[in-house]
């Protein structure tokens, strides 16, 4: 789908704003896409696709799977602007082999057959969509479900498929007007969502309109949504992870990091693991999200269709974290209980406790513009051209603010022996009562104004494809050329080292009038021995007071400044082509379909940035390390490689109801862009000193894979399917952490590196059935959709810091989904439970240790009733069972994060004309 390279980005934007005659079909970025093929066949027969209701949506997704030669599973909107769930990722997890990774209550990333988000390609109408993440991983939280008509998950590649990868290609569909049955369709909805912990109602409005002329030669479609959300999570965290310490460490010496000492009643100890800090937090997020998607189509005759698609989405995430932070680097350790090498209880006297308020602004804009030309001058020859431009921007770093205040001469403790992920904890002061909420004795300590990263991701894609049937029966040859360019730019700021810690001695007491209790009731239903509240303050007012101290002391504080070593640019060019053949024949009385292809991809990339090293590091005795860095040194790297990727898909229709499948292919996933970046980050907090940097000299992930499957379409709207797969990964990128001693400080340095391969194997089972022909009324409205997935791997890599082995990130051994629904008499009800086993989230976390996301099971419910033919009232409940998110380090008794996200209830009206 090449459009001449002379077309520039400005021309694309001008075309979008001035074009008055445009045309559209499903973009040939998915030329052999079974959905597009089915749409085209039905449109040519005069029967456009009509999908309304749960059963109709189920039947449409079953038909897509049945008609495809490749292994594909789909979700289809139940009506215009209505996916089964409020989030695209939440709907995808109902598909066999698909699980999602949640972030504070919302599905954000997709994992397919054990391979996490960096192994899966996400496209919109077959075109790669830019993302505001540091790497290639696509965040579904920026894409509202109301503008989506469905999504296809390709588990086996075809040579013409854009974005083939080791995991899967997830192709998200938007609305096209010439695919609709009615000449004019309008849908609008409005609802309010109640967030349980924040106790707020949040508005959302959306609308979809599709129009085409009576002759079906021209059409326009527009969908849009605006939503506000105010949510709160209560989070108990060990932010910097667990560390191993010995009584002989400088950490506990009078001249060490903060003058921390060991009391006479504490026995000497060696390599005892203990939390490096303890941080209960209120996490509050204010989200404003709106998006619009438009499509214009023209079909002047039966041979030609032209499409313009435009997508614009904007989301602003304002996050506030209000919490405590013990870091145990001051005072005297007077009591300690050690069990199996773990400190399960500690008490300190004369230490300090910090309190933190952090503001983060993530302002994301995502755009995509695509043009598709589809021309079939004869019944045996077809040409498709496609070009697209996509850009994602993340802004807001200049608004970020991190502030810390400190209480001194504090007695504090923690106790892990309850077995709860929330450790018991508390602190007192000999000078005042109710220390956590008392405004006395609070001192200035540390702040960072600004900081963080702005991100720009730009993608240009061009593709040209041709199909030819030479007249040898149902045999079609396809070929194409493509060229893609992607540029990911990260621009980071940071405060100069030392400046943000000008008052780390905490010798300036802040006015009591700045502080008041939060009155938020931390983990309100939990009855453990914990603090339920602490103080709140305006970070801006505290910063103003610290600036006043600085002016009186002859000091100056500046906002964060550009950081060359934390910034980078990765520019990637990919070009190539493919040849493919599709053949349909009879094997005895059985229908046989074969798809055979070969794809060539040439990758050429550059990675540029800057580097610096730590020249010296020493504790200052006030809870911080003082470090000296080298001058900035520009760095650059160029890499180049090519791949030949064969693929084979075979579908055998044993009977009209029984289908067997076989697929084999060689696949490749490029290293995520954040790993290729030379940018680095340096953390200097005592006890968790780390350095992280990328590695531009990485090989791609390469694998051979094979699968077999069987599908039994035993009744209308019913399917029983099973598939087994095996993937032999030849090359793999893994994180390597090694210690680096600089003077008196040991840094844990983490770098991605080329590692050994591994194998992944598993199976998945899916079962769907509508009981409309099986049960008497009124029970014939019942239906069920279930899936079960098993995935295993022999991957075994060693984490040198923790001294443990770990496997593949994102791989859950078991997962399943259970959905029951009822649809009759204008009434719809659905109950959905999804479970995912624990999985490795990060191979090397904050302190270099592996971090795992614990098993998670969530129950959702929805209910709707058609008051009139065109008016529906509905209600949805998310996380009905109030499941918690639990992340641990190495083992379940070592909490990293434990989050309560609460329930969310939506209710509203939907109108359709």
């Amino acid at each position: 789908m090449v459009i001449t390279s002379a077309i520039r980005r400005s021309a694309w934007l001008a075309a979008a704003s001035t074009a008055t005659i445009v045309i559209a079909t499903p973009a040939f970025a998915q030329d052999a896409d079974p959905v597009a093929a089915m749409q085209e066949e039905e449109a040519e027969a005069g029967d456009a696709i009509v999908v309304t209701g749960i059963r109709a949506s189920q039947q449409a997704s079953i038909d897509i799977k049945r008609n495809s030669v490749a292994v594909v599973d789909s979700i289809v909107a139940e009506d215009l602007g209505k996916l089964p769930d409020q989030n695209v990722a939440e709907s995808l997890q109902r598909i066999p082999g698909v699980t999602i990774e949640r972030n504070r209550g919302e599905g954000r990333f997709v994992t397919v057959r054990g391979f996490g988000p960096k192994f899966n390609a996400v496209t919109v109408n077959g075109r790669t969509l830019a993302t505001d993440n540091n790497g290639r991983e696509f965040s579904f939280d920026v894409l509202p479900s109301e503008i989506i008509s469905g999504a296809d998950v390709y588990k086996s590649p075809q040579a013409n498929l854009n974005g083939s990868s080791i995991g899967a290609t997830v192709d998200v569909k938007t609305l096209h007007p010439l695919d609709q049955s009615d000449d004019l369709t309008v849908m609008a909805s409005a609802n309010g969502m109640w967030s349980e912990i924040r106790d707020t109602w949040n508005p959302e409005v959306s609308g979809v309109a599709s129009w085409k002329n009576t002759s079906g030669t021209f059409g326009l479609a527009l969908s849009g949504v605006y939503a506000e959300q105010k949510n709160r999570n209560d989070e108990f965290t060990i932010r910097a992870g667990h560390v191993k310490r010995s009584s002989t460490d400088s950490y506990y010496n009078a001249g060490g990091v903060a003058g921390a000492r060991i009391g006479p009643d504490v026995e000497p100890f060696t390599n005892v693991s203990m939390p490096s800090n303890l941080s209960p937090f209120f996490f509050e997020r204010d989200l404003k999200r709106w998006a619009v998607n438009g499509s214009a189509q023209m079909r002047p005759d039966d041979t030609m269709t032209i499409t313009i698609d435009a997508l614009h989405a904007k989301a602003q995430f304002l996050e506030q974290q209000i919490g405590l932070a013990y870091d145990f680097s001051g005072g005297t350790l007077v009591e300690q209980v050690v069990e199996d090498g773990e400190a399960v209880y500690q008490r300190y006297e004369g230490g300090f406790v910090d309190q933190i308020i952090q503001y983060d602004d993530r302002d994301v804009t995502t755009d995509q513009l695509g043009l598709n030309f589809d021309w079939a001058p004869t019944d045996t020859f077809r040409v498709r051209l496609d070009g697209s431009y996509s850009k994602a921007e993340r802004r807001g770093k200049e608004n970020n603010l991190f502030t810390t205040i400190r209480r001194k001469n504090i007695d504090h403790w923690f106790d892990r022996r309850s077995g709860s992920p929330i450790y018991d904890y508390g602190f007192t002061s000999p000078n005042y009562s109710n220390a956590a909420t008392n405004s006395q004795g609070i001192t200035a300590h540390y702040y960072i104004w600004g900081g963080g990263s702005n991100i720009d991701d730009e993608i240009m894609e061009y593709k040209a494809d041709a199909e030819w049937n030479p007249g040898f029966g149902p045999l079609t040859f396809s070929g194409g050329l493509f060229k893609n360019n992607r540029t990911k730019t990260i621009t980071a700021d940071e405060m100069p080292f030392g400046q943000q810690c000008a008052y780390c001695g905490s010798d300036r007491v802040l006015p009591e009038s700045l502080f008041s209790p939060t009155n938020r009731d931390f983990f309100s239903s939990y009855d453990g021995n914990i603090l339920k509240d602490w103080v709140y303050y305006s970070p801006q007012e505290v910063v103003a007071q610290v600036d006043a101290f600085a002016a009186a002391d002859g000091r100056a504080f500046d906002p964060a400044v550009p950081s060359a070593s934390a910034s980078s640019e990765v520019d990637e060019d990919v070009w190539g082509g493919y040849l493919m053949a599709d053949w349909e024949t009879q094997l005895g009385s059985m229908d046989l379909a074969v798809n055979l292809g070969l794809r060539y991809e040439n990758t050429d990339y550059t990675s540029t940035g800057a580097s610096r090293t730590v020249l010296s590091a020493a504790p200052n005795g006030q809870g911080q390390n003082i470090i000296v860095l080298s001058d900035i040194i520009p760095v650059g790297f160029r890499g180049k490689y090519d791949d030949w990727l064969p693929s084979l898909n075979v579908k055998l229709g044993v009977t009209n109801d029984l289908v067997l499948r076989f697929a084999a292919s060689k696949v490749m996933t490029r290293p995520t862009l954040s790993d290729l970046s030379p940018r680095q980050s340096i953390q200097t907090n005592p006890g968790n000193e780390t350095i992280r940097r990328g590695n531009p000299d990485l090989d791609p992930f390469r694998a051979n894979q094979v699968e077999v499957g069987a599908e039994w379409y035993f009744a209308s709207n019913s399917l029983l399917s099973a598939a087994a797969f095996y993937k032999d990964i030849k090359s793999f990128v893994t994180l390597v952490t090694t210690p680096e001693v600089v003077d008196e400080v040991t840094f844990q340095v983490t770098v991605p590196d080329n590692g050994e391969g591994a194998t992944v194997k598993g199976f998945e089972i899916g079962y769907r059935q509508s009981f409309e022909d099986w049960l008497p009324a009124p029970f014939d409205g019942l239906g069920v959709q279930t899936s079960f997935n098993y995935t295993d791997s022999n991957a075994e890599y060693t984490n040198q810091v923790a001294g443990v082995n770990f496997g593949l990130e994102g791989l859950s051994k078991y997962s399943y989904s259970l959905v029951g629904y009822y649809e009759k008499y204008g009434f719809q009800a659905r109950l959905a439970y999804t479970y995912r086993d624990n999985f490795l989230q990060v191979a090397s976390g904050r302190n270099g240790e592996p971090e795992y996301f614990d098993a998670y099971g969530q129950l959702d419910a929805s209910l709707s009733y058609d008051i009139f033919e065109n008016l529906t009232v509905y209600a949805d409940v998310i996380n009905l069972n109030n499941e918690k998110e639990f992340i641990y380090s190495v083992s379940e008794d070592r909490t990293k994060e434990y989050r309560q996200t609460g329930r969310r209830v939506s209710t509203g009206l939907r109108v359709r004309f």
Side-chain angles (χ1 to χ4, degrees):
M1 297 180 279
V2 169
I3 296 178
T4 175
S5 60
I7 297 179
R8 302 300 182 199
R9 298 166 190 167
S10 59
W12 282 107
L13 298 177
S17 62
T18 61
T20 57
I21 300 178
V22 289
I23 323 172
T25 58
F28 184 57
Q30 332 129 7
D31 33 312
D33 171 351
V35 186
M38 185 176 71
Q39 289 175 339
E40 290 169 3
E41 291 170 2
E42 294 185 351
E44 290 169 0
D47 297 319
I49 298 170
V50 182
V51 177
T52 56
I54 298 176
R55 283 181 298 191
S57 171
Q58 293 285 335
Q59 186 62 60
S61 62
I62 289 173
D63 290 342
I64 291 170
K65 183 175 184 67
R66 188 172 192 170
N67 295 333
S68 173
V69 180
V71 180
V72 60
D73 285 285
S74 304
I75 57 172
V76 179
E78 297 171 8
D79 202 346
L80 291 179
K82 185 180 183 297
L83 278 180
D85 299 271
Q86 294 187 358
N87 178 289
V88 179
E90 301 278 352
S91 292
L92 288 171
Q93 70 177 329
R94 317 296 179 198
I95 291 175
V98 178
T99 55
I100 64 172
E101 182 176 333
R102 300 177 188 275
N103 180 264
R104 296 183 165 99
E106 185 169 13
R108 188 176 181 186
F109 297 113
V110 168
T111 294
V112 182
R113 291 180 169 176
F115 288 89
K118 66 183 178 182
F119 295 100
N120 301 304
V122 177
T123 59
V124 175
N125 297 320
R127 305 165 180 133
T128 305
L129 188 64
T131 172
D132 73 298
N133 290 309
N134 290 350
R136 305 179 195 274
E137 302 86 350
F138 181 76
S139 298
F140 282 92
D141 60 352
V142 302
L143 197 61
S145 63
E146 289 82 359
I147 66 172
I148 303 305
S149 63
D152 305 321
V153 179
Y154 292 90
K155 300 173 183 176
S156 69
Q158 293 183 162
N160 65 325
L161 195 64
N162 185 19
S164 297
S165 59
I166 291 179
T169 298
V170 180
D171 187 34
V172 177
K173 307 287 190 177
T174 60
L175 184 67
H176 286 124
L178 297 187
D179 296 332
Q180 306 309 306
S181 59
D182 297 325
D183 291 344
L184 176 63
T185 304
V186 178
M187 186 282 297
S189 70
N191 70 67
M193 185 192 75
W194 176 68
S195 178
E196 179 182 21
I197 303 179
R198 189 84 175 261
D199 193 19
T200 57
W201 279 96
N202 306 294
E204 177 176 319
V205 293
S206 64
V208 179
S210 177
W211 169 85
K212 64 179 179 179
N213 60 11
T214 55
S215 60
T217 60
F218 182 70
L220 298 171
L222 185 68
S223 57
V225 59
Y226 175 81
E228 294 182 6
Q229 291 184 15
K230 292 186 176 182
N231 299 317
R232 176 185 132 194
N233 302 327
D234 289 357
E235 305 183 2
F236 177 83
T237 72
I238 308 299
R239 285 203 159 189
H242 291 72
V243 295
K244 289 184 177 180
R245 291 185 177 136
S246 302
S247 54
T248 55
D249 291 346
S250 63
Y251 189 86
Y252 293 111
N253 295 335
V257 174
R261 296 175 173 85
I262 296 178
D265 296 331
V266 176
E267 296 182 358
F269 55 90
T270 302
N271 287 331
V272 170
S273 177
M274 60 190 68
S276 60
N277 63 358
L278 185 150
S279 300
F281 269 80
F282 302 110
F283 179 93
E284 297 177 343
R285 173 184 289 160
D286 291 358
L287 167 62
K288 291 183 179 180
R289 176 167 53 196
W290 68 276
V292 61
N293 183 82
S295 177
Q297 296 182 295
M298 191 169 77
R299 188 173 291 151
D301 56 43
D302 293 340
T303 67
M304 185 182 299
T305 308
I306 304 172
T307 304
I308 286 183
D309 294 308
L311 168 68
H312 175 76
K314 190 172 182 63
Q316 184 177 35
F317 302 83
L318 295 176
E319 298 172 349
Q320 176 179 247
Q321 301 180 57
I322 309 164
L324 302 174
Y326 309 174
D327 66 8
F328 310 113
S329 59
T332 301
L333 175 63
V334 295
E335 289 185 79
Q336 177 173 257
V337 177
V338 178
E339 296 179 358
D340 298 323
E342 295 278 342
V344 296
Y345 169 77
Q346 286 184 337
R347 185 171 70 86
Y348 286 78
E349 291 182 350
F352 48 75
V353 171
D354 296 339
Q355 296 187 227
I356 294 172
I357 292 185
Q358 178 177 341
Y359 279 139
D360 292 297
D361 184 355
R362 176 181 166 219
D363 194 349
V364 180
T365 303
T366 306
D367 294 296
Q368 187 182 67
L369 182 63
L371 173 63
N372 181 267
F373 177 84
D374 185 346
W375 180 50
T378 70
D379 293 338
T380 60
F381 185 69
R382 190 172 203 169
V383 175
R384 292 178 173 114
L385 307 175
D386 193 273
S388 64
Y389 169 68
S390 181
K391 183 174 183 179
E393 296 180 346
R394 185 204 294 179
R395 296 293 182 265
K397 63 181 175 63
E398 61 278 356
N399 301 322
N400 295 341
L401 179 58
F402 181 94
T403 61
T404 304
I405 57 176
R406 172 163 288 184
R407 296 180 186 272
K408 302 173 71 174
N409 193 24
I410 292 294
D411 300 337
H412 55 81
W413 59 274
F414 75 86
D415 193 336
R416 301 164 56 186
R417 290 173 291 185
S418 70
S420 170
I422 304 177
Y423 302 170
D424 290 344
Y425 65 90
F427 67 86
T428 60
S429 169
N431 301 317
Y432 46 83
S433 61
N434 301 319
T437 55
N438 199 306
S439 298
Q440 300 179 53
I442 299 177
T443 64
H445 182 54
Y446 183 99
Y447 81 84
I448 301 175
W449 190 287
S453 302
N454 286 346
I455 295 176
D456 293 271
D457 189 18
E458 288 190 89
I459 300 173
M460 297 287 290
E461 293 184 336
Y462 310 103
K463 188 175 181 183
D465 302 86
E467 294 179 8
W468 176 54
N469 185 318
F472 303 147
L475 174 63
T476 302
F477 294 102
S478 304
L481 300 172
F482 59 88
K483 188 178 189 308
N484 308 328
N485 174 262
R486 184 170 197 167
T487 303
K488 177 82 75 169
T489 304
I490 300 177
T491 308
D493 290 351
E494 63 184 10
M495 288 188 72
F497 278 95
Q499 193 176 100
Q500 67 267 46
C501 201
Y503 287 95
C504 283
S506 304
D507 53 359
R508 288 300 195 107
V509 178
L510 294 165
E512 294 181 25
S513 60
L514 293 175
F515 307 100
S516 61
T518 73
N519 296 318
R520 282 168 167 80
D521 195 12
F522 185 67
F523 274 93
S524 58
S525 62
Y526 182 69
D527 59 1
N529 188 8
I530 63 174
L531 296 173
K532 293 284 191 173
D533 201 10
W534 37 92
V535 299
Y536 179 80
Y537 59 89
S538 164
Q540 292 82 3
E541 291 180 6
V542 167
V543 169
Q545 183 63 62
V546 173
D547 285 343
F549 291 157
D553 296 340
R555 298 175 177 177
F557 286 89
D558 299 315
V561 297
S563 170
S565 63
S567 303
S568 68
E569 180 175 284
V570 178
D571 187 271
E572 183 179 77
D573 282 300
V574 179
W575 68 270
Y578 72 90
L579 294 173
M580 188 174 73
D582 287 280
W583 180 44
E584 295 180 1
T585 186
Q586 293 290 121
L587 186 62
S589 61
M590 300 180 291
D591 295 328
L592 176 66
V594 179
N595 170 270
L596 178 66
L598 178 65
R599 184 179 181 93
Y600 171 77
E601 296 192 4
N602 179 282
T603 305
D604 190 341
Y605 68 93
T606 59
S607 177
T608 57
S611 178
R612 58 183 175 181
T613 58
V614 180
L615 298 178
S616 66
N620 68 354
Q622 298 177 350
Q624 295 294 325
N625 290 309
I626 301 301
I627 70 171
V628 177
L629 300 175
S630 69
D631 293 335
I632 295 293
I633 302 173
V635 296
F637 184 89
R638 180 178 180 182
K640 189 174 183 179
Y641 51 87
D642 55 9
D643 289 273
W644 293 91
L645 306 173
S647 61
L648 171 66
N649 293 279
V650 178
K651 182 179 73 170
L652 180 65
V654 179
T655 67
N656 290 335
D657 301 326
L658 180 62
V659 174
L660 302 181
R661 296 184 184 273
F662 173 82
S665 59
K666 181 178 180 180
V667 290
M668 179 268 292
T669 294
R670 296 175 182 85
T672 189
L673 297 172
S674 54
D675 284 348
L676 291 174
S677 164
R679 66 191 297 262
Q680 65 179 5
S681 63
I682 302 174
Q683 296 285 345
T684 64
N685 288 348
N688 50 84
E689 299 90 346
T690 62
I691 300 175
R692 288 179 172 267
R693 65 172 68 98
N695 179 6
D697 191 17
L698 293 176
D699 296 328
F701 302 86
R702 294 185 172 99
N704 296 323
Q705 61 184 25
V706 63
E707 73 172 277
V708 294
E711 299 155 13
W712 181 29
Y713 300 86
F714 57 91
S716 174
N717 211 333
S718 302
L719 167 64
L720 179 63
S721 63
F725 58 89
Y726 179 86
K727 299 173 184 278
D728 183 8
I729 307 169
K730 299 299 184 182
S731 56
F732 204 85
V733 175
T734 186
L735 293 175
V736 177
T737 301
T738 55
E740 181 179 311
V741 179
V742 180
D743 297 334
E744 304 172 49
V745 177
T746 300
F747 290 86
Q748 300 296 336
V749 182
T750 301
V751 181
D753 199 4
N754 299 310
E756 297 179 358
T759 61
V760 176
K761 60 185 178 182
F763 65 87
E764 56 198 35
I765 300 172
Y767 164 60
R768 303 182 185 191
Q769 185 172 4
S770 171
F771 295 103
E772 55 190 320
D773 298 326
W774 294 73
L775 295 175
F779 306 106
D780 55 346
L782 290 170
V784 64
Q785 176 187 357
T786 69
S787 67
F788 176 82
N789 314 299
Y790 169 83
T791 309
D792 197 13
S793 173
N794 69 349
E796 190 171 281
Y797 306 103
T798 301
N799 183 296
Q800 301 291 344
V801 175
V804 297
N805 295 330
F806 63 91
L808 300 182
E809 291 182 2
L811 189 149
S812 291
K813 196 165 190 176
Y814 303 102
S815 62
Y816 60 86
S817 176
L818 302 171
V819 181
Y821 64 87
Y822 183 84
E823 183 177 41
K824 196 174 180 66
Y825 308 124
F827 179 80
Q828 285 187 6
R830 189 170 66 98
L831 199 61
Y833 181 79
T834 305
Y835 172 86
R836 179 178 186 181
D837 204 1
N838 65 330
F839 64 93
L840 177 67
Q841 186 179 49
V842 180
S844 181
R846 177 70 179 271
N847 268 331
E849 294 185 336
E851 296 174 3
Y852 295 84
F853 201 116
D854 198 27
Y856 185 93
Q858 179 171 303
L859 181 65
D860 302 327
S862 64
L863 190 67
S864 70
Y865 180 69
D866 297 335
I867 301 175
F868 303 109
E869 182 180 357
N870 298 325
L871 178 63
T872 302
V873 60
Y874 62 92
D876 301 303
V877 183
I878 299 174
N879 195 19
L880 183 62
N881 58 329
N882 197 24
E883 180 72 308
K884 315 298 190 298
E885 298 177 1
F886 177 35
I887 301 170
Y888 59 87
S889 174
V890 181
S891 59
E892 291 91 336
D893 60 339
R894 306 167 86 244
T895 298
K896 181 63 171 59
E897 298 182 39
Y898 186 73
R899 306 170 182 157
Q900 176 178 263
T901 62
R903 302 173 182 88
R904 298 173 191 177
V905 181
S906 299
T907 181
L909 292 171
R910 183 179 297 108
V911 181
R912 191 180 195 274
F913 300 99

